[in-house]
Amino acid sequence: MTAAFSPASSGLLFDNSYRRDLPGAYLELAPDAAPAPQIVVLNRALAGQLGLDADVLAANPAWFAGGSLPMGAEPIALAYAGHQFGGFSPQLGDGRAHLLGEFLGPDGRRWDLQLKGSGRTPFSRGGDGKAALGPMLREYLISEAMAALGVPTTRSLAVTLTGEDVWREAGRLPGAVVARIAASHIRVGTFQFFAQRGEIDKLRALTEYTIARHDPDLVGTPGRELAFFDRVVARQARLTAQWMGLGFIHGVMNTDNMALSGETIDYGPCAFMEGYAPGTVFSSIDRQGRYAYANQPLILGWNLARLAESLVPLLPGEREAIIEDLNLRLGSIAGQFRAAWLDVMRQKLGLEGASDHDGALVDDLLFAMDGADWTLTFRRLADAIAGETGSLRPLFTDFAAMEAWLPRWRARLAPDAAVRMRAVNPLVIPRNHKVEEALAAADQGDLAPFHALLAQITDPYRDGADREGYALHAPSGFGDYVTFCGT
């Protein structure tokens, strides 16, 4: 039974500007009604940050599974295009998601509330529009871990069982919906959608809307389209550098999975690398390694080039001059990423200031780390500051290169390097074997491992005797890890 509701009681005060301002960018469509909605995890901490009453949310599970809608919600399925693994699809769109609307937080910031796994839409391309419990809990886990690690990300507000099963390769699985919070769901692919259709007026409206939403200081300024592009480049360079610093592999860096807000979006076949190997791939469908760990900065530039192409029709002047200008800006991306990456690595290594030699120091560390556990190496380096390498050595099959590197590193350390390093290098990440254990148990109705893992990964920097089982890499029998998109 749905609890009594008034707009003020939950904090969900909707103001649906995307639907109001961008006709043609969506289809009006309600989510499927779930037969027996049951919230299995509610993000009470996030609800509080957003000014929402968690008790009211908990009393209304149908809001998060499509059975009924909170007052003011005006559900739509968003339209977008995109390059998927390099191949262009002119129409993708939300094939199993519904944007319920936007609400304003206590600070006036605008947030999207979207349901994922909430039913088929005209964009479904043959899919059933549903989602299984495991992938939705996976998105919740990984996005909350990223938030705790200080990485810009969409967040999960709730995961709700629908009361019906879905069929996947693994057989019959419990169906579920994740309620996702985002600064927006505007993607590179959203711009591509209108650009490839030649709908320049709609492309211009989208650009003005996105600037107003994410870079409001640029509204009405001359040259704002290029200034906006530069902001997107800067956000994405920083974001990718943060991923790389954590050993995170997104897995599907398609242009429809790059949000112009600078948030990490769409946690499908993502995972955290354990042993350092630049070619690491987890996705079952990335057979060529396009989105491997070390390729992510290259794909960053490739995707932003597609955004630049989409903006060309809006820019004044001769086409050749416009393209030359954009190419210059695209040519700066590698340098911007490298600068952001070095900033991340200086923090991880506890370095004092900046030096022209830091790039070589980092590159030589990566050479020495071949196969060593990424997360534990940086965490245990703090112990090696005073010369104690007992905890570090077991991570390496050959410690010689690392031993030669350590004196160079120690010569660059800040006075409080150990404290700094333990504050930015996590002890606990979502280890792949622990994630799989938690999701397998959840499919059988046991959520205790999920909640135990969630508690650990949302407190990533703390030392403690209770943490060893979550901090260590997968046992040798775990084997090669493969992830799937969940559709």
Side-chain angles (χ1 to χ4, degrees):
M1 181 176 178
T2 301
F5 169 78
S6 68
S9 67
S10 72
L12 280 171
L13 301 174
F14 285 101
D15 177 55
N16 301 318
S17 64
Y18 196 94
R19 176 174 176 143
R20 181 173 62 243
D21 297 346
L22 296 174
Y26 57 84
L27 295 174
E28 298 180 12
L29 196 70
D32 289 356
Q38 177 188 351
I39 295 175
V40 294
V41 56
L42 176 64
N43 197 333
R44 288 180 170 270
L46 176 60
Q49 294 167 22
L50 297 173
L52 306 179
D53 188 317
D55 290 335
V56 173
L57 302 183
N60 289 276
W63 289 357
F64 303 115
S68 67
L69 297 177
M71 187 182 299
E74 298 177 343
I76 55 178
L78 304 184
Y80 45 86
H83 279 87
Q84 299 190 312
F85 291 87
F88 185 64
S89 295
Q91 180 171 291
L92 294 170
D94 288 337
R96 57 169 180 164
H98 297 77
L99 180 65
L100 296 189
E102 309 147 27
F103 66 93
L104 302 178
D107 58 357
R109 290 186 65 186
R110 184 177 298 271
W111 299 100
D112 279 1
L113 174 57
Q114 184 195 65
L115 302 185
K116 183 176 177 180
S118 45
R120 185 181 286 121
T121 79
F123 302 120
S124 295
R125 295 176 293 156
D128 63 8
K130 305 293 186 179
L133 176 63
M136 299 301 93
L137 289 176
R138 180 183 179 82
E139 175 146 346
Y140 191 108
L141 279 172
I142 306 300
S143 61
E144 287 307 292
M146 295 290 266
L149 291 164
V151 180
T153 180
T154 58
R155 302 283 298 274
S156 296
L157 181 60
V159 175
T160 304
L161 286 167
T162 61
E164 62 182 1
D165 292 337
V166 297
W167 287 92
R168 297 292 182 262
E169 289 183 359
R172 190 167 67 180
L173 299 169
V177 175
V178 65
R180 181 161 70 187
I181 301 294
S184 83
H185 283 82
I186 303 169
R187 312 153 187 264
V188 172
T190 316
F191 281 72
Q192 290 180 291
F193 180 76
F194 291 120
Q196 60 88 24
R197 293 160 68 101
E199 297 183 327
I200 306 307
D201 288 345
K202 291 178 181 177
L203 178 64
R204 182 172 289 107
L206 173 65
T207 304
E208 296 292 350
Y209 175 88
T210 308
I211 290 171
R213 186 153 177 181
H214 294 304
D215 297 284
D217 60 305
L218 298 179
V219 170
T221 61
R224 57 189 172 277
E225 296 89 353
L226 287 175
F228 163 66
F229 178 75
D230 291 341
R231 297 275 183 91
V232 174
V233 168
R235 286 194 285 264
Q236 289 294 335
R238 287 193 300 269
L239 178 64
T240 306
Q242 288 178 281
W243 290 356
M244 301 288 282
L246 292 167
F248 176 76
I249 301 170
H250 185 281
V252 277
M253 284 183 70
N254 298 327
T255 58
D256 57 297
N257 291 336
M258 180 174 276
L260 301 196
S261 64
E263 294 176 313
T264 313
I265 191 171
D266 286 333
Y267 291 94
C270 63
F272 287 79
M273 177 176 62
E274 294 203 333
Y276 172 62
T280 300
V281 172
F282 292 114
S283 171
S284 63
I285 56 178
D286 192 2
R287 297 180 180 88
Q288 306 302 316
R290 177 181 175 87
Y291 300 140
Y293 172 78
N295 283 347
Q296 293 181 128
L298 302 176
I299 298 300
L300 161 73
W302 196 93
N303 286 352
L304 291 171
R306 308 289 78 79
L307 176 61
E309 291 169 352
S310 298
L311 292 174
V312 167
L314 302 182
L315 302 177
E318 296 292 331
R319 182 177 175 86
E320 288 186 4
I322 292 169
I323 292 173
E324 182 179 359
D325 188 5
L326 286 169
N327 280 334
L328 287 173
R329 294 167 191 269
L330 291 169
S332 75
I333 293 174
Q336 289 191 56
F337 169 77
R338 180 71 172 174
W341 162 246
L342 286 176
D343 283 346
V344 168
M345 295 302 283
R346 288 186 183 108
Q347 293 177 49
K348 291 179 72 65
L349 293 173
L351 302 187
E352 176 74 19
S355 165
D356 292 341
H357 302 294
D358 290 344
L361 185 71
V362 170
D363 292 342
D364 291 345
L365 168 64
L366 299 185
F367 175 80
M369 279 182 65
D370 183 32
D373 187 279
W374 180 269
T375 302
L376 291 180
T377 294
F378 286 99
R379 184 72 181 189
R380 294 180 183 181
L381 269 172
D383 299 330
I385 290 174
E388 174 53 56
T389 59
S391 65
L392 193 60
R393 287 178 180 271
L395 302 177
F396 294 78
T397 54
D398 183 351
F399 198 65
M402 193 67 180
E403 198 150 42
W405 178 86
L406 287 171
R408 295 166 55 201
W409 166 64
R410 292 187 182 112
R412 286 278 295 110
L413 289 175
D416 56 348
V419 174
R420 291 189 188 188
M421 292 174 68
R422 291 191 179 99
V424 299
N425 291 307
L427 175 66
V428 173
I429 59 168
R431 294 280 178 177
N432 302 323
H433 65 295
K434 300 302 290 187
V435 171
E436 291 306 310
E437 287 175 8
L439 300 188
D443 280 340
Q444 301 303 313
D446 180 8
L447 284 165
F450 169 86
H451 287 292
L453 178 58
L454 181 64
Q456 293 285 339
I457 63 177
T458 53
D459 185 17
Y461 303 109
R462 176 179 61 84
D463 285 313
D466 62 318
R467 317 210 76 191
E468 184 170 314
Y470 293 91
L472 297 180
H473 51 73
S476 57
F478 184 63
D480 293 334
Y481 188 52
V482 178
T483 60
F484 303 87
C485 67
T487 56

